[in-house]
């Protein structure tokens, strides 16, 4: 059952921030109504066939073209590989210091002479998960992706099943993976820009330390040339080090989709996530990415509504040790509006309840939907503020009593 709770209306941002910054549940507040007329949105002009720009802290889609179109992501598929690996590390099922051995078969398939982008692994070399993640993201190592897949699941095919299961779990509705590195596979691997932004959003929210560690390394030194000199390769991110605040994610290139990029940047407390695909050259991809990000930061602004960790409301838990769990934002919630916006907004927390126990702290449990006057709704996920384990018969009895009485 979908439930909407705790509606708030306000004519000014100041009043709303006062109500929510006090860590009170979202409640009705009387104020002079803001404008209900459509707001003039900043104009962005582009020739790119696929473009998507999202403000992560509000969920606002600032620009979208072809976001649902499926295309081959090439090396952008490695972001899903990284997400799966980081998830295993977070759950304690894999150590970043674990060593995997590069098999002869993997080396033959993915060495630099036959397997495209490489971190120059050698047959028989033992490499840590930590170093493989660095090679996977920084230099787009196809060999690194394969060694991770085989080391974790015994084969690339089994690991790919894990990737697809994860994609389904996190809401990537249009995507399917056929390889851990995005190598051409006869059209099996396809994604959409909308799904790629969903993936990037989840990775950055759920694995902030991993994102900071692996996605903004300017260059990687690994291996030696035939002459015995260290091999140093630059990060392939086209705006890293060029655009202030740019800090990660991944490029891709296929004959079908052209030059593509899934990127993110943070400025002034706002984080934007973008996709551009179908560009004709590396330069066109870089220029479009910089221009899109500049427009997103300069023509739009964020208005803070709820601080990170503030209790927004509660969600019912079924058969748990506690009948309720607090819902809070993992990052500060903002609404994104054009520069100079003077309207108000309406906010509602929405969840599916009851949640089945157990519920782990940090698990998405609800959405905070903010609708600025004259603009489309903006959705920010809320996470569980605590762990709620499975309860026995006494806990179930208490839950039933709570549903009847509210106590």
């Amino acid at each position: 059952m979908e439930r909407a709770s705790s509606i708030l209306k306000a004519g000014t941002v100041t009043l709303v921030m006062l109500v929510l910054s006090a860590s009170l549940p979202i409640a009705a507040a009387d104020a002079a109504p803001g404008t209900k007329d459509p707001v003039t949105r900043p104009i962005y002009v582009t020739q790119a066939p696929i473009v998507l720009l999202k403000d992560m802290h509000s969920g606002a889609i600032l620009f979208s073209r072809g976001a649902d179109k499926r295309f081959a992501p090439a090396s952008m598929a490695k972001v899903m590989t990284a997400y799966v690996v980081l998830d295993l590390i977070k759950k304690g099922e894999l150590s970043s210091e674990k060593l995997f051995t590069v098999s002869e078969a993997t080396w033959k398939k993915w060495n630099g002479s036959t397997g495209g982008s490489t971190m120059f692994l050698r047959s028989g070399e033992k490499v840590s998960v930590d170093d493989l993640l660095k090679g996977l993201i920084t230099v787009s190592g196809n060999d690194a992706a394969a060694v991770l897949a085989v080391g974790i699941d015994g084969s690339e095919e089994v690991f790919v099943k894990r990737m697809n299961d994860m994609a389904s779990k996190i809401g990537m509705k249009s995507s399917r993976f056929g390889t851990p590195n995005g190598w051409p596979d006869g059209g099996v691997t396809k994604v959409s820009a909308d799904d790629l932004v969903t993936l990037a959003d989840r990775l950055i929210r759920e694995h902030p330390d991993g994102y900071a560690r692996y996605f903004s390394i300017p260059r990687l030194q690994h291996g030696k040339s035939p002459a015995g000199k260290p091999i140093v390769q630059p990060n392939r991110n086209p705006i890293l080090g060029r655009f202030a605040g740019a800090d990660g994610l991944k490029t891709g290139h296929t004959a079908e989709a052209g030059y593509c990029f899934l990127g993110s940047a943070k400025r002034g407390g706002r984080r934007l996530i973008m996709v551009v695909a179908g560009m004709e050259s590396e330069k066109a991809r870089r220029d479009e990415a910089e221009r899109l990000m500049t427009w997103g930061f300069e023509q739009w602004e964020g208005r803070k509504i709820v601080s990170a960790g503030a209790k927004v409301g509660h969600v019912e838990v079924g058969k748990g040790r506690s009948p309720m769990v607090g819902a809070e934002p993992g990052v500060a919630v903002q609404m994104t509006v054009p520069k100079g916006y003077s309207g108000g907004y309406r906010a509602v927390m929405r969840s599916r309840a009851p949640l089945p126990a157990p519920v782990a702290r940090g698990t998405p449990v609800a959405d905070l939907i903010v609708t600025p006057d004259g603009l489309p709704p903006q959705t920010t996920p809320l996470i569980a503020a605590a762990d709620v384990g499975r309860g026995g018969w006494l806990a179930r009895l208490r839950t039933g009593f709570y549903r009847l009485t509210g106590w």
Side-chain angles (χ1 to χ4, degrees), residues 337-401:
V337 294
K339 286 284 181 70
Y341 176 84
S342 60
Y345 69 86
R346 182 175 184 268
V348 60
M349 190 186 90
R350 186 175 64 190
S351 67
R352 285 191 179 276
L355 300 169
V359 176
R361 181 178 182 180
T363 301
V365 294
D367 289 322
L368 182 62
I369 302 172
V370 177
T371 306
D373 293 340
L375 290 170
Q378 304 175 8
T379 302
T380 301
L382 301 175
I383 59 177
D387 294 322
V388 179
R390 289 190 181 94
W393 68 269
L394 185 60
R396 291 196 292 271
L397 182 64
R398 184 172 63 246
T399 298
F401 181 75

Side-chain angles (χ1 to χ4, degrees), residues 314-320 322-326 351-359 363-366 384 388 403:
H314 292 82
V315 181
E316 187 177 333
V317 179
K319 298 182 179 180
S322 173
M324 304 287 284
V325 66
S351 67
R352 285 191 179 276
L355 300 169
V359 176
T363 301
V365 294
V388 179
R403 291 178 183 172

